[in-house]
Amino acid sequence: MMNFVFWQNILAKYWGLNSQLSLLDGEYDLNILVKSNDGNQYVLKIMREDCLQEFVDMQIQAINHLKSIEPELPFPDIIQTISGKKFFHCKDEFGNNRLLWLIKKLPGRKYVEYKRKNLNLLKELGSMIAKCDGALESFEHDLLNRSLKWNLIEAIWVEKHIDLVEDLSRKVILQDIMEEYKNILPKLRDQPFQAIHGDINDHNILVTGELQDQPNISGLLDFGDMCHCPRVCNLAIAAAYIVLDHDQPEVALTSLIYGYNDNSPLKVGELDLIWPLLRMRLVVSVVNSTLMSKENPNDPYITVSQAPAWKFLERRSENSKFIAARLRSACGLPVVDGADRVLSYLEEARGSFAQIFNFDLSLVPMGSLSVENSLWPQNPFSLPLDEALEVGSDIIAKDSFWMGYYNEPRLIYTEPAFRDGPWKASDRRTVHLGIDIFGPADLEIRAPINGKVVVAENRTQHLDYGGVIILEHETPEGNLFYTLYGHLDPKFLKQLKVGDLIQSGTVFCTLGSNQNNGGWAPHLHFQLALMTDGIEKDWPGVGSPDEMYLWNALCPNPAALLNLPDSLTRYEPVVKDEVLSDRKSFFSSNLSISYNNPILVSRGWKHHLFDEWGRPYLDAYNNVPHVGHSHPRIQEVAAKQMNRVNTNTRYLHPIQTAFAKKILSKFTKKFDVCFFVNSGSEANELALRLARAHTKSKGIITLDHGYHGNTTGAIDISAYKFNAVGGVGQVDWVELVDLPDDFRGKFKRNDADCGKKFGNLVNPAIERLEKKQKKVSAFIAETFPSVAGQIIPPDGYLKEVYKNIRNAGGLCIADEVQTGLGRLGEYYFGFEHQEVEPDIVVLGKPIGNGHPIGVVVTTKEIADSFADGPEFFSTFGGSTLSCLIGNEVLEIVDDEGLQENAKQMGERLLTGLREIKNNFPQIGDVRGMGLFLGVDLVKNNTIQDEDKDLCTYIKNRMRDYRILIGSEGPKDNVLKIRPPLTIDAEGVDMILHYFEKIMKEV
Ligand SMILES: Cc1ncc(COP(=O)(O)O)c(C=O)c1O
């Protein structure tokens, strides 16, 4: 037990500090956290007994040197004693000799404990390491040249201990890495030496950042392992730790290197060493621990602490040259030695290569299969063989020649092999890395340049290449490059084999047909690669949109070999930033947009969306595409009707009445009249007019925080808008009542009379209207308030409200825009749950599945009162097209059992969310019905402390994981989950998986 009083006295005597102390961790030395009464915090470093004075001197000098050159970097201040000493000898409470020094404590948590790491943080770390290396270049100290087991240039010492590792497969891994290390050692020794930190591991990096902030590096600690060696070792050591807990280690590594290079350019020689050195550092670490555990067999912590390193080493390692290529391309350097010379050669020789076909390709038109331009395939998750055979038939007549673009994102690559993860919305490879030349089967193909066959195969799998050949070529300067020819007739295998030389201009294969080319419309996939390490014969023909920095460098546009300009054959998707900046120019700044990083939506299918690069997103937010995005039946009726006629309700058409009949079939007999308009707002406006016409009064009672639309009248009854900052305020004919929120409201759900009590709150509102000489015309409410935070009113609520309103002579309007048409699973309309019958019902959004339709449904009696006034006409309401679409939506909900699906999927989601809630006090409430769900987030386990920051964080993180959800509630602390009714168990499970993962981050 430590004698803190002893150390308090030392601190008072030498530094003049009055303080509270606690022990921090430290491997060899004692570190004490000092909380001084002046509010500052320090760390008292009590060095181990045999510690050399030079060792402390080196650290202090290095820190001061760094601070003088890079004052912005977060290194700790050294606090001198009252007499001006930076460190001194002193006896501890047991009479042992110790060296003492004091540093200012830096803010933040250890990197290893910080859960919200992201790639920007790694870039910042890379840049900080670069600055640290830059400053230490001019630092010298005698101790830097001491022998140190952690100095990567000396790591050979572990070789003789590898046999201590008992597990054979582990031993083989270590030996392989050791061999690679020995191979690179001469190159490493050739790098210039300098002082480095030498131990930027995940315990020596501090990170700060609240939920709403981008995290920042707030400290680099512990200069005890400083040594003299090539600077790349410093970077490789840091890299070894940051890859450990990352799902995609190569991506994390690339960000770190990118950040470093941005600050201090790395040379290709250094970049090529990083991966082998990183792995060697982990070998040193696990061997060192193995030695320690032999000495301390009863310390389980030693083994446990090595688990992440073993896990990393045991995973399939990417090819070192491939990783080097990745890092080189991230730093804008040639992807492989000689790549720049190959590109110059191809540029110079463009126009002089032998023609691949016996005609000039510059006459062949380009056609696009891009996400933006093409409808292939209709279902972006499945390309059946009959569609594959027809791909592009809408572009140019079958068997005519046309070319498909390089760098084009496409949705035709639907097989699971193109996906990186278990979910439909997982990352997916979409971007085409070659040029396609479509034409009739059997066409002869010639080599554009002399080449040697390195691959000649028949790949018979569904939608693979069929016959495929890879040729190796050499530039006149002796640099190698490769070309791939896919979708060939495999009959070439009879006369061609690996090693054969093909002369420029000679026919060496023919175009396959769908019978032998993987099932595709006949075409040649022609691709160039500047190296094959790591891809060998399995070149990806498409790459992930987020990795194009690598693929564009490794597999550049092969147009030169076809004697075509790059600009003709390279696809450039719409540039999102330009669209965003135009939007800012041409639209008002209060036009809201979702996410810090907005999404450009190019395609949709059921409950998924795709951006311009083909990245898929699970849509758990949009309720407008009620029966799913791009439903084929809606596409069909809309296209057909647009070809015929689209008029309005001044003319007769049977679809108008058919649609009305279909809607009324969902209601009780009380309802017999429909009005068609073109938005929810317009429908609510009309509902107010109907009520006024019928009751001859104007007063409206509505819920606080409600929303009914964007028109002047609808805003007047939408507290969510009129009470917002800058809102128009409350008009005198509107009175508000409390939300029936049995979680946070006045009355709670454990009160059996809660619904009734909330319902009675309309009575004082009626009185307030009457005091103003106004009578209540109607009560209007979203049956389940949505923007107010996905509230499910308690049983009996509307019964009580409607009774009171009717007693006062008012009508009851149910805004079912959000809740109607089966979303609630158990009920087709929300008011059914409340066991009431409104007088007027408003429908919108989902009823058009994206087409603008609003509907008001009421009784003949009310409609007649309204008919006493001027004629009713809404130009677009009830157009032939709208009625057809609306009718189709209702039919699809029935035909596809979507209400039942909403019930089942809603239950699955609700059960999963409630299970997650049990483990996280930040989840105050999980509520909902069917696919209308809310997750209410709170701070400190307190209902009154709504956590908006957490809600925003989760919403944005879900987007990072490709899931779209929203946020709502008066304090914007409720996650809103409201997917199209087509969502399936896979989609639900994806939401639950990532929601739980994100909760663990916070
Ligand atoms: C409950 C409710 N009513 C009415 C509206 C207005 O509908 P629209 O935007 O189609 O005018 C909305 C829109 O969000 C709504 O949520």
Side-chain angles (χ1 to χ4, degrees), residues 460-619:
T460 50
Q461 264 213 334
H462 176 76
L463 297 179
D464 203 329
Y465 276 139
V468 58
I469 295 176
I470 296 177
L471 301 183
E472 179 185 87
H473 313 281
E474 199 173 333
T475 67
E477 276 186 302
N479 296 117
L480 299 181
F481 66 98
Y482 306 82
T483 50
L484 178 146
Y485 308 76
H487 307 300
L488 306 175
D489 184 333
K491 72 181 180 205
F492 65 76
L493 284 169
K494 289 193 190 124
Q495 64 269 0
L496 202 89
K497 59 184 185 318
V498 170
D500 285 356
L501 298 178
I502 312 281
Q503 288 299 309
S504 152
T506 36
V507 173
F508 67 108
C509 55
T510 52
L511 216 54
S513 74
N514 70 312
Q515 298 301 315
N516 54 25
N517 75 356
W520 297 89
H523 72 284
L524 171 69
H525 172 93
F526 178 61
Q527 190 174 340
L528 165 67
L530 300 181
M531 67 168 225
T532 57
D533 297 286
I535 51 177
E536 279 75 42
K537 59 184 186 154
D538 294 319
W539 300 18
V542 278
S544 156
D546 297 316
E547 306 239 291
M548 291 317 287
Y549 69 93
L550 167 65
W551 293 112
N552 283 159
L554 192 62
C555 297
N557 190 341
L561 286 156
L562 302 177
N563 300 319
L564 296 172
D566 283 359
S567 56
L568 178 81
T569 51
R570 184 186 165 94
Y571 186 82
E572 299 292 355
V574 58
V575 181
K576 185 168 89 175
D577 288 348
E578 286 174 10
V579 176
L580 184 61
S581 115
D582 281 354
R583 173 183 163 116
K584 286 181 184 154
S585 309
F586 304 135
F587 299 134
S588 161
S589 58
N590 63 350
L591 182 71
S592 72
I593 189 157
S594 297
Y595 301 113
N596 302 339
N597 176 11
I599 301 170
L600 192 158
V601 177
S602 293
R603 282 280 302 271
W605 179 255
K606 292 179 113 176
H607 45 282
H608 287 91
L609 291 169
F610 296 84
D611 72 11
E612 74 282 19
W613 283 97
R615 295 182 194 95
Y617 297 84
L618 172 67
D619 185 358

Side-chain angles (χ1 to χ4, degrees), residues 623 678-682 684 707-710 782 786-787 815-818 842 844-845 853 978:
N623 58 347
N678 51 58
S679 69
S681 307
E682 199 191 350
N684 275 318
Y707 181 63
H708 298 285
N710 67 66
E782 299 162 70
S786 182
V787 295
D815 181 336
E816 289 277 345
V817 167
Q818 296 267 350
V842 170
K845 288 182 192 266
I853 307 179
R978 202 186 47 174

Side-chain angles (χ1 to χ4, degrees), residues 212-512:
Q212 64 277 23
D213 306 326
Q214 160 62 26
N216 287 113
I217 307 288
S218 57
L220 288 185
L221 306 176
D222 196 353
F223 286 73
D225 284 344
M226 285 191 70
C227 61
H228 211 226
C229 72
R231 68 168 183 167
V232 67
C233 294
N234 202 31
L235 185 54
I237 290 167
Y241 294 91
I242 63 102
V243 293
L244 287 187
D245 68 346
H246 212 280
D247 292 344
Q248 295 172 294
E250 314 79 53
V251 175
L253 175 65
T254 308
S255 294
L256 180 82
I257 304 302
Y258 180 89
Y260 189 106
N261 183 72
D262 206 29
N263 209 274
S264 172
L266 287 153
K267 300 191 188 68
V268 283
E270 292 177 297
L271 287 166
D272 294 358
L273 295 173
I274 288 173
W275 187 247
L277 285 176
L278 167 173
R279 301 206 322 140
M280 190 61 207
R281 166 65 182 214
L282 295 175
V283 171
V284 175
S285 178
V286 295
V287 170
N288 186 57
S289 296
T290 309
L291 277 167
M292 281 167 62
S293 61
K294 299 279 169 209
E295 285 166 21
N296 307 287
N298 297 326
D299 185 351
Y301 179 72
I302 299 174
T303 325
V304 171
S305 67
Q306 288 308 311
W310 275 121
K311 186 169 164 219
F312 179 81
L313 293 172
E314 284 175 322
R315 77 192 265 282
R316 184 191 63 81
S317 166
E318 289 229 23
N319 178 299
S320 288
K321 288 193 180 145
F322 187 73
I323 295 263
R326 180 188 282 282
L327 299 182
R328 282 165 169 239
S329 52
C331 297
L333 293 167
V335 71
V336 61
D337 289 344
D340 43 347
R341 291 190 290 278
V342 172
L343 290 176
S344 309
Y345 161 73
L346 292 175
E347 191 53 57
E348 276 162 27
R350 193 193 298 262
S352 64
F353 292 108
Q355 287 182 349
I356 269 203
F357 297 111
N358 64 348
F359 55 86
D360 181 358
L361 280 173
S362 67
L363 303 173
V364 174
M366 300 296 303
S368 177
L369 293 172
S370 76
V371 186
E372 303 168 279
N373 293 331
S374 126
L375 293 176
W376 297 95
Q378 180 172 51
N379 172 355
F381 296 105
S382 154
L383 178 70
L385 279 179
D386 53 347
E387 261 194 80
L389 177 59
E390 296 297 323
V391 156
S393 58
D394 54 337
I395 298 175
I396 290 166
K398 217 169 165 189
D399 288 346
S400 310
F401 290 98
W402 65 279
M403 287 190 291
Y405 287 97
Y406 170 77
N407 197 49
E408 182 176 70
R410 302 170 171 178
L411 296 180
I412 53 177
Y413 309 109
T414 58
E415 298 294 290
F418 290 101
R419 220 200 278 155
D420 184 14
W423 315 104
K424 278 189 191 156
S426 295
D427 268 340
R428 143 176 188 169
R429 293 187 288 125
T430 56
V431 188
H432 193 233
L433 300 176
I435 294 175
D436 289 321
I437 305 158
F438 286 78
D442 295 330
L443 205 65
E444 292 181 332
I445 299 170
R446 296 162 171 75
I449 176 178
N450 294 346
K452 185 171 84 181
V453 178
V454 290
V455 171
E457 286 182 357
N458 184 14
R459 300 193 188 158
T460 50
Q461 264 213 334
H462 176 76
L463 297 179
D464 203 329
Y465 276 139
V468 58
I469 295 176
I470 296 177
L471 301 183
E472 179 185 87
H473 313 281
E474 199 173 333
T475 67
E477 276 186 302
N479 296 117
L480 299 181
F481 66 98
Y482 306 82
T483 50
L484 178 146
Y485 308 76
H487 307 300
L488 306 175
D489 184 333
K491 72 181 180 205
F492 65 76
L493 284 169
K494 289 193 190 124
Q495 64 269 0
L496 202 89
K497 59 184 185 318
V498 170
D500 285 356
L501 298 178
I502 312 281
Q503 288 299 309
S504 152
T506 36
V507 173
F508 67 108
C509 55
T510 52
L511 216 54

Side-chain angles (χ1 to χ4, degrees), residues 873-892:
F873 179 63
S874 165
T875 305
F876 302 114
S879 79
T880 339
L881 181 65
S882 301
C883 291
L884 258 168
I885 291 177
N887 194 59
E888 201 65 16
V889 169
L890 300 185
E891 297 279 1
I892 293 169

Side-chain angles (χ1 to χ4, degrees), residues 666-668 671 783-784 798-799 802 813-816 819-820 824 827-838 840-843:
K666 299 295 179 186
F667 284 84
T668 55
F671 295 89
T783 310
F784 291 5
L798 281 187
K799 244 189 206 164
Y802 281 19
I813 308 174
D815 181 336
E816 289 277 345
T819 39
L824 301 176
Y827 307 99
Y828 199 81
F829 295 112
F831 58 77
E832 293 166 6
H833 165 257
Q834 290 284 306
E835 297 177 343
V836 290
E837 274 189 327
I840 302 172
V841 177
V842 170
L843 305 175

